[in-house]
Amino acid sequence: VQLQASGGGLVRAGGSLRLSCTASGRISGIHVMGWYRQAPGTQRVLVANSWGESTKYSDSVKGRFTISRDNGKNAVYLQMDDLKPEDTAVYYCYADQRVGPDTYVDYWGQGTLVTVSS
């Protein structure tokens, strides 16, 4: 499975960006798709995940970010509104794939930089 992310860029505080990520390759069995981010000097952390009809958001983005999926296009999106300087990070697309009973493989995209200026 390959994950191709796009949509990062430079935006002013209060602005919006939309990240996109498309999965390709042997995509059968993809379960969770979502986004993580990593700011300089910090660990990679969850932003939002989507599986089935469920979603999960980090507390820091609840009410500002919205994750959505288009299973027909094998894609996941992250609409980011009311961006803040602390949202500045490299954003990574994530997916896991069921390869057997209770066995999943993780995949990561290449990362896309989001910079929010004050």
Side-chain angles (χ1 to χ4, degrees), residues 37 45-47 57-62 64-65 84 87:
R37 69 186 181 187
V45 296
L46 172 70
V47 177
Y57 294 91
S58 71
D59 288 342
S60 63
V61 306
K62 282 181 181 177
R64 300 188 298 120
F65 291 11
K84 303 177 180 181
D87 294 318

Side-chain angles (χ1 to χ4, degrees), residues 14-108:
S16 298
L17 283 174
R18 185 174 187 248
L19 304 183
S20 301
C21 175
T22 301
S24 62
R26 300 182 66 179
I27 60 174
S28 175
I30 285 182
H31 175 52
V32 176
M33 293 189 78
W35 297 91
Y36 286 70
R37 69 186 181 187
Q38 187 169 17
T42 70
Q43 292 184 332
R44 192 175 299 186
V45 296
L46 172 70
V47 177
N49 271 344
S50 171
W51 66 99
E53 298 298 318
S54 301
T55 58
K56 179 179 180 179
Y57 294 91
S58 71
D59 288 342
S60 63
V61 306
K62 282 181 181 177
R64 300 188 298 120
F65 291 11
T66 304
I67 189 170
S68 60
R69 284 176 70 165
D70 185 335
N71 291 323
K73 295 182 179 180
N74 304 308
V76 62
Y77 308 98
L78 187 68
Q79 177 65 39
M80 305 185 292
D81 297 318
D82 189 23
L83 282 159
K84 303 177 180 181
E86 52 264 43
D87 294 318
T88 295
V90 177
Y91 284 69
Y92 294 92
C93 178
Y94 165 84
D96 72 10
Q97 183 180 45
R98 184 178 181 181
V99 297
D102 298 320
T103 303
Y104 294 83
V105 175
D106 296 338
Y107 295 95
W108 296 93

Side-chain angles (χ1 to χ4, degrees), residues 6-11 17 19 80 83 88-89 112-117:
S6 62
L10 173 63
V11 65
L17 283 174
L19 304 183
M80 305 185 292
L83 282 159
T88 295
T112 184
L113 177 63
V114 172
T115 304
V116 184
S117 64

